[in-house]
Amino acid sequence: MILLAIETSCDETSAAVVSGARVLANAVSSQIQLHAEYGGVVPELAAREHLKNLMPVVQTALREAGVTTGQLDAVAATQGPGLPLALLVGFKAAQALAFVLQKPFLGINHHEAHLYSPWIAGSPPVADFAAFEPNVSLIVSGGHTMLVRVTSELQHSVLGSTLDDAAGECFDKAGKLMGLPYPAGPEIDRLAQTGNPQAYDFPRPLIHEANDDFSFSGLKTSVRYFIRDHPEVLADPQKIRDLCASVQAAIIEVLVSKTIRATRRLGYRCVTASGGVTCNGALRRELARACAARGFQLRLAEKSLCTDNAAMIGILAECKLAHHFPPPALDEDIKTAWALA
Ligand code: KG4
Ligand code: ZN
């Protein structure tokens, strides 16, 4: 089975070729520079950029994989959730290709693909997966923050989700208040390395609540008030680094604490994490420390596969086809707010 996957849900145009649970190519063209000057993703610009980049990115993936369209056995694309115009570009192009090739087409849930991204690198994911069943999976990105209970391959249920802002959104909005470029997550991560996480005290929303939900909009607001009341902090490079470290520590403590608590409550011993925020060095370290302290196994998505990419779409699509999930009809539409069950 050789499958071509396309991902255009937000600001990354990506195409991947997968075969036998292995990634033969994963081409990603990021639009970050384009949106940085607006301080966030502009949906119409994103869609136009996808239109411009999709064909070159698909050609790159096919060339790197050494595969022609005639050799493809199936085509998949992100069906949702995501920005409507951006999703449409990749989804409809993939459907058209499948139609022309007369091959199966699969629409994939973006969050479900993140969920399986920790299994991509190394040995085939299916072989590894059984050793990690059951597990609690943290999906933490710019669009979502959720905890998912994974009982076995392709069997999962959402335990809790963000009630407002996602953790990545909190990184980005807090950074914007500090005058950092978009997306601020990676920049806060970098500056926090030489900052004091105890310099300023920020709330840890819902950390003691007996549920698996998250809320980050209050934390963002407290950063806004802190900067309003202490504008001098932004004039001192060391204080900016301390502020970054303190905000990051608050976000990470909530994420790690709730992940570990859910795992313990369920009596599970395995944790996985994925999504753009999983690139964060401190989050990776803290999850590793907390899991080691309790004898839990931890599997993190590779940094290059944490942010949006088509490899995760392709790996999940191939797995679904292997398990005989019925492919949708070629006239299916995008699902912009498709919630993970
Ligand atoms: O998964 P992703 O590429 O897109 C969505 O599906 O949302 O995640 C992007 C998010 C952005 O909010 C970005 O700031 C955040 O991931 N991010 C980070 C880091 N790298 C990316 N946040 C904190 N630390 C990082 N190193
Ligand atoms: Zn994503």
Side-chain angles (χ1 to χ4, degrees), residues 9 110-111 114 141 275-276 306-308 312:
S9 66
H110 181 86
H111 293 140
H114 272 304
S141 71
C306 285
T307 46
D308 292 346
M312 65 183 190

Side-chain angles (χ1 to χ4, degrees), residues 274-308:
S274 59
V277 180
T278 313
C279 288
N280 185 276
L283 175 61
R284 297 176 86 86
R285 278 194 304 279
E286 280 305 304
L287 275 173
R289 188 195 54 73
C291 285
R294 289 160 186 85
F296 294 172
Q297 281 182 280
L298 173 67
R299 181 136 180 162
L300 300 168
E302 272 201 0
K303 278 193 181 182
S304 63
L305 296 169
C306 285
T307 46
D308 292 346

Side-chain angles (χ1 to χ4, degrees), residues 14-99:
S14 181
V17 179
V18 304
S19 180
R22 290 188 183 278
V23 180
L24 303 184
N26 182 36
V28 183
S29 169
S30 176
Q31 306 176 6
I32 280 181
Q33 295 303 329
L34 174 73
H35 300 288
E37 76 174 277
Y38 303 95
V41 178
V42 183
E44 191 177 335
L45 286 184
R48 288 178 185 277
E49 201 65 7
H50 285 312
L51 277 173
K52 204 164 77 186
N53 293 335
L54 186 60
M55 281 308 154
V57 167
V58 168
Q59 281 165 341
T60 301
L62 290 171
R63 193 177 54 247
E64 281 177 9
V67 163
T68 63
T69 48
Q71 292 172 285
L72 296 175
D73 299 300
V75 184
T78 307
Q79 191 165 5
L83 300 171
L85 290 176
L87 281 171
L88 271 173
V89 175
F91 189 73
K92 287 293 159 190
Q95 274 180 328
L97 180 60
F99 176 75

Side-chain angles (χ1 to χ4, degrees), residues 162-242:
T162 183
L163 304 176
D164 40 57
D165 290 355
E169 213 175 340
C170 186
F171 268 106
D172 295 340
K173 288 178 176 171
K176 194 172 180 181
L177 293 167
M178 297 179 213
L180 301 178
Y182 172 85
E187 193 63 5
I188 290 181
D189 185 359
R190 191 180 66 77
L191 292 170
Q193 285 167 20
T194 46
N196 174 8
Q198 274 128 31
Y200 310 111
D201 193 22
F202 287 103
R204 271 68 170 154
L206 303 188
I207 197 163
H208 298 303
E209 298 288 319
N211 59 44
D212 299 315
D213 290 329
F214 299 92
S215 164
F216 290 104
S217 73
L219 174 52
K220 172 197 66 192
T221 306
S222 67
V223 174
R224 183 190 302 279
Y225 290 150
F226 176 84
I227 291 172
R228 182 196 64 189
D229 298 340
H230 305 87
E232 72 284 358
V233 166
L234 298 189
D236 181 332
Q238 183 53 48
K239 287 183 176 157
I240 293 179
R241 291 195 284 271
D242 291 344

Side-chain angles (χ1 to χ4, degrees), residues 135-140 145-148 159 206-207 211-214 216 251-274 283 286-288 290-291 294 296-300:
N135 64 64
V136 167
S137 189
L138 173 69
I139 306 176
V140 65
T145 300
M146 59 174 85
L147 279 173
V148 183
L159 294 166
L206 303 188
I207 197 163
N211 59 44
D212 299 315
D213 290 329
F214 299 92
F216 290 104
I251 298 172
I252 287 176
E253 194 178 325
V254 174
L255 295 174
V256 174
S257 154
K258 298 206 86 161
T259 304
I260 296 295
R261 201 174 58 197
T263 312
R264 292 181 66 178
R265 188 185 71 240
L266 292 167
Y268 291 1
R269 306 198 58 74
C270 301
V271 171
T272 73
S274 59
L283 175 61
E286 280 305 304
L287 275 173
C291 285
R294 289 160 186 85
F296 294 172
Q297 281 182 280
L298 173 67
R299 181 136 180 162
L300 300 168

